[in-house]
Amino acid sequence: MSGGDDNFEKEATMETLKLLYDFFPMAVYTGKCLVFISEDWRVELTEHKDSDYTKGATQLALIRVRIFKKALNGEFVPGHFEDFQLPSLNELAEQIEKYVQLAIGANLRERAE
């Protein structure tokens, strides 16, 4: 009956990502990542854990931010990415927001009015 254990591990892995969802109201949570999408850009946030279990449960989650730009053919082409691993959720959200703003020139928290 390891199926339940697999679901628990998947849920535990997404904990930081779910908390970041509150910081970015314009994001869409897909169950495996947070996605911000516009006409020209796609930004994905995914959460990763180190598979080295000797480090214990206090290990910080690693959030990977991937930026895609829309090509002339309409497909989103992967661009650059950065990994973030900060102890404070507020600081993590601020640094991710700053990184994306500098990369695409848009504010992730802006609401369409």
Side-chain angles (χ1 to χ4, degrees), residues 47-65:
E47 184 169 345
H48 304 271
K49 297 273 188 184
D50 193 341
S51 59
D52 183 357
Y53 296 108
T54 62
K55 294 182 179 178
T58 59
Q59 179 188 355
L60 296 173
L62 182 135
I63 302 296
R64 175 163 290 168
V65 179

PDB file of all heavy atoms in Angstrom, residues 47-65:
ATOM      1  N   GLU A  47       8.898  23.211  -7.450  1.00  0.00           N
ATOM      2  CA  GLU A  47       9.562  22.951  -6.175  1.00  0.00           C
ATOM      3  C   GLU A  47      10.314  21.629  -6.256  1.00  0.00           C
ATOM      4  O   GLU A  47       9.800  20.645  -6.782  1.00  0.00           O
ATOM      5  CB  GLU A  47       8.532  22.893  -5.048  1.00  0.00           C
ATOM      6  CG  GLU A  47       9.149  22.734  -3.686  1.00  0.00           C
ATOM      7  CD  GLU A  47       8.150  22.939  -2.565  1.00  0.00           C
ATOM      8  OE1 GLU A  47       7.051  23.478  -2.815  1.00  0.00           O
ATOM      9  OE2 GLU A  47       8.466  22.573  -1.435  1.00  0.00           O
ATOM     10  N   HIS A  48      11.537  21.640  -5.750  1.00  0.00           N
ATOM     11  CA  HIS A  48      12.385  20.450  -5.775  1.00  0.00           C
ATOM     12  C   HIS A  48      12.958  20.207  -4.393  1.00  0.00           C
ATOM     13  O   HIS A  48      13.264  21.151  -3.665  1.00  0.00           O
ATOM     14  CB  HIS A  48      13.535  20.637  -6.776  1.00  0.00           C
ATOM     15  CG  HIS A  48      13.062  20.972  -8.147  1.00  0.00           C
ATOM     16  ND1 HIS A  48      12.756  20.023  -9.084  1.00  0.00           N
ATOM     17  CD2 HIS A  48      12.800  22.167  -8.736  1.00  0.00           C
ATOM     18  CE1 HIS A  48      12.335  20.615 -10.197  1.00  0.00           C
ATOM     19  NE2 HIS A  48      12.362  21.915 -10.012  1.00  0.00           N
ATOM     20  N   LYS A  49      13.096  18.950  -4.051  1.00  0.00           N
ATOM     21  CA  LYS A  49      13.743  18.557  -2.796  1.00  0.00           C
ATOM     22  C   LYS A  49      14.970  17.731  -3.144  1.00  0.00           C
ATOM     23  O   LYS A  49      14.962  16.967  -4.106  1.00  0.00           O
ATOM     24  CB  LYS A  49      12.811  17.705  -1.926  1.00  0.00           C
ATOM     25  CG  LYS A  49      11.572  18.426  -1.474  1.00  0.00           C
ATOM     26  CD  LYS A  49      11.841  19.171  -0.211  1.00  0.00           C
ATOM     27  CE  LYS A  49      10.519  19.724   0.321  1.00  0.00           C
ATOM     28  NZ  LYS A  49      10.639  20.533   1.462  1.00  0.00           N
ATOM     29  N   ASP A  50      16.016  17.874  -2.344  1.00  0.00           N
ATOM     30  CA  ASP A  50      17.217  17.072  -2.521  1.00  0.00           C
ATOM     31  C   ASP A  50      16.890  15.626  -2.169  1.00  0.00           C
ATOM     32  O   ASP A  50      16.225  15.362  -1.176  1.00  0.00           O
ATOM     33  CB  ASP A  50      18.321  17.603  -1.607  1.00  0.00           C
ATOM     34  CG  ASP A  50      19.686  17.045  -1.958  1.00  0.00           C
ATOM     35  OD1 ASP A  50      19.745  16.001  -2.640  1.00  0.00           O
ATOM     36  OD2 ASP A  50      20.683  17.648  -1.550  1.00  0.00           O
ATOM     37  N   SER A  51      17.358  14.700  -2.974  1.00  0.00           N
ATOM     38  CA  SER A  51      17.061  13.290  -2.700  1.00  0.00           C
ATOM     39  C   SER A  51      18.003  12.697  -1.653  1.00  0.00           C
ATOM     40  O   SER A  51      17.923  11.519  -1.354  1.00  0.00           O
ATOM     41  CB  SER A  51      17.146  12.487  -4.005  1.00  0.00           C
ATOM     42  OG  SER A  51      18.431  12.602  -4.559  1.00  0.00           O
ATOM     43  N   ASP A  52      18.880  13.507  -1.079  1.00  0.00           N
ATOM     44  CA  ASP A  52      19.783  13.038  -0.021  1.00  0.00           C
ATOM     45  C   ASP A  52      19.037  13.095   1.306  1.00  0.00           C
ATOM     46  O   ASP A  52      18.923  14.144   1.925  1.00  0.00           O
ATOM     47  CB  ASP A  52      21.036  13.920   0.019  1.00  0.00           C
ATOM     48  CG  ASP A  52      22.047  13.451   1.044  1.00  0.00           C
ATOM     49  OD1 ASP A  52      21.764  12.467   1.767  1.00  0.00           O
ATOM     50  OD2 ASP A  52      23.125  14.069   1.127  1.00  0.00           O
ATOM     51  N   TYR A  53      18.526  11.952   1.735  1.00  0.00           N
ATOM     52  CA  TYR A  53      17.711  11.899   2.955  1.00  0.00           C
ATOM     53  C   TYR A  53      18.546  11.986   4.228  1.00  0.00           C
ATOM     54  O   TYR A  53      18.006  12.089   5.309  1.00  0.00           O
ATOM     55  CB  TYR A  53      16.852  10.629   2.959  1.00  0.00           C
ATOM     56  CG  TYR A  53      15.852  10.639   1.834  1.00  0.00           C
ATOM     57  CD1 TYR A  53      16.011   9.811   0.734  1.00  0.00           C
ATOM     58  CD2 TYR A  53      14.760  11.493   1.862  1.00  0.00           C
ATOM     59  CE1 TYR A  53      15.093   9.834  -0.304  1.00  0.00           C
ATOM     60  CE2 TYR A  53      13.841  11.519   0.828  1.00  0.00           C
ATOM     61  CZ  TYR A  53      14.012  10.687  -0.250  1.00  0.00           C
ATOM     62  OH  TYR A  53      13.108  10.705  -1.278  1.00  0.00           O
ATOM     63  N   THR A  54      19.882  11.952   4.108  1.00  0.00           N
ATOM     64  CA  THR A  54      20.737  12.070   5.297  1.00  0.00           C
ATOM     65  C   THR A  54      20.742  13.494   5.836  1.00  0.00           C
ATOM     66  O   THR A  54      21.170  13.731   6.948  1.00  0.00           O
ATOM     67  CB  THR A  54      22.183  11.648   4.979  1.00  0.00           C
ATOM     68  OG1 THR A  54      22.719  12.522   3.982  1.00  0.00           O
ATOM     69  CG2 THR A  54      22.234  10.203   4.507  1.00  0.00           C
ATOM     70  N   LYS A  55      20.250  14.443   5.046  1.00  0.00           N
ATOM     71  CA  LYS A  55      20.222  15.844   5.474  1.00  0.00           C
ATOM     72  C   LYS A  55      19.062  16.141   6.411  1.00  0.00           C
ATOM     73  O   LYS A  55      19.001  17.206   7.001  1.00  0.00           O
ATOM     74  CB  LYS A  55      20.165  16.776   4.258  1.00  0.00           C
ATOM     75  CG  LYS A  55      21.429  16.708   3.425  1.00  0.00           C
ATOM     76  CD  LYS A  55      21.359  17.658   2.269  1.00  0.00           C
ATOM     77  CE  LYS A  55      22.639  17.594   1.452  1.00  0.00           C
ATOM     78  NZ  LYS A  55      22.586  18.479   0.303  1.00  0.00           N
ATOM     79  N   GLY A  56      18.120  15.236   6.522  1.00  0.00           N
ATOM     80  CA  GLY A  56      17.013  15.416   7.456  1.00  0.00           C
ATOM     81  C   GLY A  56      15.855  16.188   6.862  1.00  0.00           C
ATOM     82  O   GLY A  56      15.896  16.684   5.742  1.00  0.00           O
ATOM     83  N   ALA A  57      14.809  16.315   7.667  1.00  0.00           N
ATOM     84  CA  ALA A  57      13.563  16.943   7.203  1.00  0.00           C
ATOM     85  C   ALA A  57      13.620  18.462   7.233  1.00  0.00           C
ATOM     86  O   ALA A  57      12.717  19.114   6.748  1.00  0.00           O
ATOM     87  CB  ALA A  57      12.399  16.456   8.056  1.00  0.00           C
ATOM     88  N   THR A  58      14.665  19.050   7.816  1.00  0.00           N
ATOM     89  CA  THR A  58      14.733  20.500   7.940  1.00  0.00           C
ATOM     90  C   THR A  58      15.315  21.165   6.696  1.00  0.00           C
ATOM     91  O   THR A  58      15.541  22.356   6.691  1.00  0.00           O
ATOM     92  CB  THR A  58      15.588  20.899   9.159  1.00  0.00           C
ATOM     93  OG1 THR A  58      16.900  20.351   8.986  1.00  0.00           O
ATOM     94  CG2 THR A  58      14.964  20.395  10.438  1.00  0.00           C
ATOM     95  N   GLN A  59      15.550  20.397   5.682  1.00  0.00           N
ATOM     96  CA  GLN A  59      16.126  20.922   4.448  1.00  0.00           C
ATOM     97  C   GLN A  59      15.177  21.915   3.768  1.00  0.00           C
ATOM     98  O   GLN A  59      13.969  21.688   3.711  1.00  0.00           O
ATOM     99  CB  GLN A  59      16.421  19.759   3.512  1.00  0.00           C
ATOM    100  CG  GLN A  59      16.993  20.188   2.191  1.00  0.00           C
ATOM    101  CD  GLN A  59      17.090  19.017   1.247  1.00  0.00           C
ATOM    102  OE1 GLN A  59      16.824  17.890   1.619  1.00  0.00           O
ATOM    103  NE2 GLN A  59      17.458  19.289   0.026  1.00  0.00           N
ATOM    104  N   LEU A  60      15.734  22.994   3.258  1.00  0.00           N
ATOM    105  CA  LEU A  60      14.936  24.004   2.561  1.00  0.00           C
ATOM    106  C   LEU A  60      14.534  23.511   1.185  1.00  0.00           C
ATOM    107  O   LEU A  60      15.302  22.840   0.500  1.00  0.00           O
ATOM    108  CB  LEU A  60      15.745  25.292   2.397  1.00  0.00           C
ATOM    109  CG  LEU A  60      16.140  26.031   3.658  1.00  0.00           C
ATOM    110  CD1 LEU A  60      17.066  27.181   3.306  1.00  0.00           C
ATOM    111  CD2 LEU A  60      14.911  26.535   4.373  1.00  0.00           C
ATOM    112  N   ALA A  61      13.341  23.877   0.785  1.00  0.00           N
ATOM    113  CA  ALA A  61      12.886  23.562  -0.565  1.00  0.00           C
ATOM    114  C   ALA A  61      13.623  24.449  -1.556  1.00  0.00           C
ATOM    115  O   ALA A  61      13.948  25.593  -1.270  1.00  0.00           O
ATOM    116  CB  ALA A  61      11.390  23.800  -0.679  1.00  0.00           C
ATOM    117  N   LEU A  62      13.863  23.910  -2.731  1.00  0.00           N
ATOM    118  CA  LEU A  62      14.482  24.671  -3.809  1.00  0.00           C
ATOM    119  C   LEU A  62      13.369  25.012  -4.801  1.00  0.00           C
ATOM    120  O   LEU A  62      12.640  24.122  -5.241  1.00  0.00           O
ATOM    121  CB  LEU A  62      15.562  23.826  -4.494  1.00  0.00           C
ATOM    122  CG  LEU A  62      16.300  24.538  -5.608  1.00  0.00           C
ATOM    123  CD1 LEU A  62      17.784  24.287  -5.469  1.00  0.00           C
ATOM    124  CD2 LEU A  62      15.811  24.084  -6.957  1.00  0.00           C
ATOM    125  N   ILE A  63      13.217  26.292  -5.103  1.00  0.00           N
ATOM    126  CA  ILE A  63      12.213  26.739  -6.068  1.00  0.00           C
ATOM    127  C   ILE A  63      12.937  27.140  -7.348  1.00  0.00           C
ATOM    128  O   ILE A  63      13.800  28.016  -7.340  1.00  0.00           O
ATOM    129  CB  ILE A  63      11.393  27.943  -5.537  1.00  0.00           C
ATOM    130  CG1 ILE A  63      10.698  27.588  -4.215  1.00  0.00           C
ATOM    131  CG2 ILE A  63      10.398  28.417  -6.587  1.00  0.00           C
ATOM    132  CD1 ILE A  63       9.661  26.497  -4.310  1.00  0.00           C
ATOM    133  N   ARG A  64      12.601  26.462  -8.426  1.00  0.00           N
ATOM    134  CA  ARG A  64      13.196  26.782  -9.732  1.00  0.00           C
ATOM    135  C   ARG A  64      12.232  27.669 -10.504  1.00  0.00           C
ATOM    136  O   ARG A  64      11.054  27.339 -10.657  1.00  0.00           O
ATOM    137  CB  ARG A  64      13.481  25.517 -10.524  1.00  0.00           C
ATOM    138  CG  ARG A  64      13.994  25.822 -11.943  1.00  0.00           C
ATOM    139  CD  ARG A  64      14.649  24.648 -12.576  1.00  0.00           C
ATOM    140  NE  ARG A  64      15.908  24.401 -11.880  1.00  0.00           N
ATOM    141  CZ  ARG A  64      16.623  23.300 -12.032  1.00  0.00           C
ATOM    142  NH1 ARG A  64      16.216  22.341 -12.819  1.00  0.00           N
ATOM    143  NH2 ARG A  64      17.757  23.156 -11.380  1.00  0.00           N
ATOM    144  N   VAL A  65      12.736  28.803 -10.973  1.00  0.00           N
ATOM    145  CA  VAL A  65      11.961  29.741 -11.778  1.00  0.00           C
ATOM    146  C   VAL A  65      12.454  29.619 -13.214  1.00  0.00           C
ATOM    147  O   VAL A  65      13.624  29.861 -13.498  1.00  0.00           O
ATOM    148  CB  VAL A  65      12.137  31.189 -11.269  1.00  0.00           C
ATOM    149  CG1 VAL A  65      11.345  32.156 -12.131  1.00  0.00           C
ATOM    150  CG2 VAL A  65      11.721  31.303  -9.809  1.00  0.00           C
TER     151      VAL A  65
END
